[in-house]
Amino acid sequence: MNPGERLTETPPGVRLAPLDDIADGSARNFVLQMKAGRFHGFVVRKGDHVFGYRDRCPHMGLPLAQELDRYLTSGGELILCSWHGALFDVESGRCVGGPCMGASLPVWPVTVEGGIIRTA
C-alpha cells in the first residue's frame, strides 16, 4: 500500500481523545496516519455515547464537512453533508434526507473506556 492511500479501517485500541474533549452534541474529525496510509473519520458525542463514521458521504464519496469538525446540523440532531445537503441519523448513520436516501455512512467502530475514546 501507498503511505498516502486513504484507508477504510483502523486497528482496535487506538487512543483518540478524552471524551471530555468533545462537547456533548458535537463532533470531531480524526485523521490517523499509519504505515499503510491515512484514515479519515469523525466521532459524534451524545452524552456518554460516541458514534464513529468514516468521513465519506455515500452520495459522491466526498468528506462530509467543508469546515473542520462541522459535521452536524445547527441543533446537533443530525449529521449533515455540507456539499449536497444529505442528512444522516447520528446513532445509525442512515441517510434520512437528501440525495442518498436509504444509504448509510460507513461505520467506524469506536468506544469509550475509562473516559477515553478508542477505536474498537
Side-chain angles (χ1 to χ4, degrees):
M1 281 192 175
N2 176 347
E5 185 171 334
R6 188 172 285 250
L7 302 176
T8 59
E9 58 185 37
T10 58
V14 175
R15 183 185 193 281
L16 298 174
L19 180 63
D20 290 342
D21 280 5
I22 302 175
D24 189 12
S26 66
R28 180 167 166 199
N29 168 277
F30 291 92
V31 177
L32 305 179
Q33 178 66 50
M34 295 179 272
K35 284 185 180 180
R38 282 192 185 109
F39 176 86
H40 296 257
F42 66 97
V43 172
V44 180
R45 178 180 177 187
K46 284 184 85 175
D48 291 333
H49 301 283
V50 291
F51 304 91
Y53 298 99
R54 277 193 285 140
D55 194 1
R56 285 282 176 220
C57 181
H59 172 230
M60 298 271 305
L62 297 169
L64 289 135
Q66 292 184 50
E67 292 181 46
L68 187 64
D69 298 336
R70 295 279 181 139
Y71 291 97
L72 303 178
T73 55
S74 61
E77 65 279 351
L78 295 170
I79 298 167
L80 168 69
C81 176
S82 62
W83 295 98
H84 298 106
L87 297 168
F88 303 88
D89 177 71
V90 168
E91 295 183 21
S92 69
R94 187 175 52 82
C95 184
V96 296
C100 54
M101 282 294 290
S104 292
L105 294 172
V107 172
W108 178 30
V110 295
T111 189
V112 178
E113 297 174 358
I116 303 297
I117 304 169
R118 296 183 182 278
T119 58

